Amino acid sequence: MFMTGLRIPMALLMVAALVAVPRFVSAQEKPQAEVEAILKRAVEAAGGEEVVKKHRSTLSKGKFVIAGQGLEGSLEIRAAAPNRFLLLIDLPGVGRVENGFDGKIGWASDPINGPRLIQGKELEELKVQADYDSDLFKLDDYKEIKNQGVVDFEGEKCHKLEMTRKETGKTETRFFSVASGLLTGVITKSETPMGELDITVVVGNYKEFDGQKIATNVDTRIGPITQTFIIETVEFNVLKDSDFEVPSQIKALIRD
């Protein structure tokens, strides 16, 4: 949930460029090489492809907090290769929030809207989010990646990349720390039952679990509201197929 798409090591890429064009690197080649270097460094900073590939499922647990509203509850995130995902949030006095994808069917349930099937653009986005190896930043997954240079993001110097997915045509702006190489945040738009919303995600407080660095603090900002995931424990390769089973109330919607 890191280098299948980064097939050519940077050293070999630069050697190939020098052999093919001894005295000249075009304006198009240089930005592409810089993009690949930034993404490769992000993968290596998080532990490298070999470490990530030995993890085929991840169970994360912690807290979900909306500080501005005084809400705090339990958080559980299940993810498994190639593309299964389940988010569970339990808020005392509010109820359970659930969002899942079993590889084919997407669903959501919350105390306000009840259970529902996810369809259309929202389902397309969920499929992309459920890609277990998305943090490998596979170049083949993207139609275009634009390097916008170094900017300030949340008080840190970061490389700014505009990355457009092939499947959805959706562009996300991702920020990678100049100092550490790690992902620091994402600015995007997301399809919801309330329409398209602007979202800023800030990630940090990376900790190492079984050789892989994972952000244990994730702030999601939607307008004036900030929702925070605080990851406390991470286990790899413990999940089963049944941990992603579609709930009975969702199965009822499919039958209807």
Side-chain angles (χ1 to χ4, degrees):
M1 289 179 344
F2 262 120
M3 188 184 85
T4 303
L6 309 181
R7 295 178 299 278
I8 306 174
M10 280 304 302
L12 296 181
L13 180 68
M14 296 309 296
V15 168
L18 288 171
V19 170
V21 191
R23 293 186 298 273
F24 177 71
V25 177
S26 74
Q28 291 181 338
E29 289 171 337
K30 188 172 184 290
Q32 180 66 12
E34 290 173 349
V35 164
E36 292 189 25
I38 292 166
L39 296 178
K40 179 182 178 181
R41 186 177 177 221
V43 173
E44 294 301 324
E49 181 183 17
E50 184 176 347
V51 168
V52 175
K53 284 289 189 179
K54 76 177 183 179
H55 301 147
R56 297 291 82 196
S57 73
T58 307
L59 174 61
S60 305
K61 295 182 180 180
K63 294 186 291 187
F64 174 77
V65 179
I66 306 179
Q69 299 180 11
L71 293 175
E72 181 177 318
S74 65
L75 167 72
E76 182 172 321
I77 304 172
R78 304 173 190 172
N83 60 348
R84 290 175 294 172
F85 172 81
L86 182 60
L87 169 67
L88 301 170
I89 297 171
D90 283 301
L91 286 170
V94 177
R96 169 169 280 209
V97 177
E98 185 171 331
N99 186 201
F101 183 70
D102 72 345
K104 295 180 180 179
I105 298 167
W107 72 91
S109 180
D110 63 73
I112 297 175
N113 299 299
R116 65 183 181 89
L117 287 169
I118 295 178
Q119 299 174 323
K121 288 184 179 181
E122 192 180 357
L123 180 60
E124 291 178 6
E125 288 187 12
L126 184 58
K127 288 179 180 178
V128 171
Q129 293 167 6
D131 179 3
Y132 187 81
D133 289 325
S134 62
D135 287 343
L136 286 169
F137 302 118
K138 297 166 284 187
L139 295 183
D140 287 346
D141 288 343
Y142 295 92
K143 180 168 63 176
E144 184 178 31
I145 303 177
K146 293 181 180 179
N147 184 357
Q148 300 294 347
V150 175
V151 300
D152 286 317
F153 179 75
E154 297 296 310
E156 186 170 359
K157 294 291 184 184
C158 295
H159 299 286
K160 178 182 178 181
L161 301 184
E162 290 184 357
M163 306 174 69
T164 303
R165 298 281 306 203
K166 283 182 180 176
E167 304 99 311
T168 63
K170 176 182 175 182
T171 299
E172 296 184 336
T173 302
R174 294 180 179 266
F175 299 87
F176 298 87
S177 169
V178 171
S180 70
L182 294 165
L183 180 72
T184 58
V186 183
I187 294 178
T188 186
K189 294 180 182 291
S190 184
E191 292 290 335
T192 76
M194 298 174 288
E196 191 176 65
L197 297 177
D198 293 320
I199 297 175
T200 297
V201 181
V202 181
V203 302
N205 195 22
Y206 279 85
K207 294 182 181 179
E208 188 171 311
F209 300 89
D210 192 27
Q212 184 173 344
K213 287 184 179 177
I214 292 177
T216 62
N217 197 99
V218 180
D219 286 339
T220 301
R221 300 171 185 169
I222 307 171
I225 299 174
T226 297
Q227 303 174 351
T228 301
F229 289 180
I230 301 172
I231 303 300
E232 297 173 331
T233 65
V234 176
E235 295 179 88
F236 296 108
N237 302 330
V238 297
L239 294 172
K240 307 179 295 295
D241 289 345
S242 58
D243 291 316
F244 299 92
E245 186 174 354
V246 178
S248 57
Q249 62 267 37
I250 299 299
K251 291 179 179 178
L253 294 177
I254 297 171
R255 289 195 295 269
D256 293 342

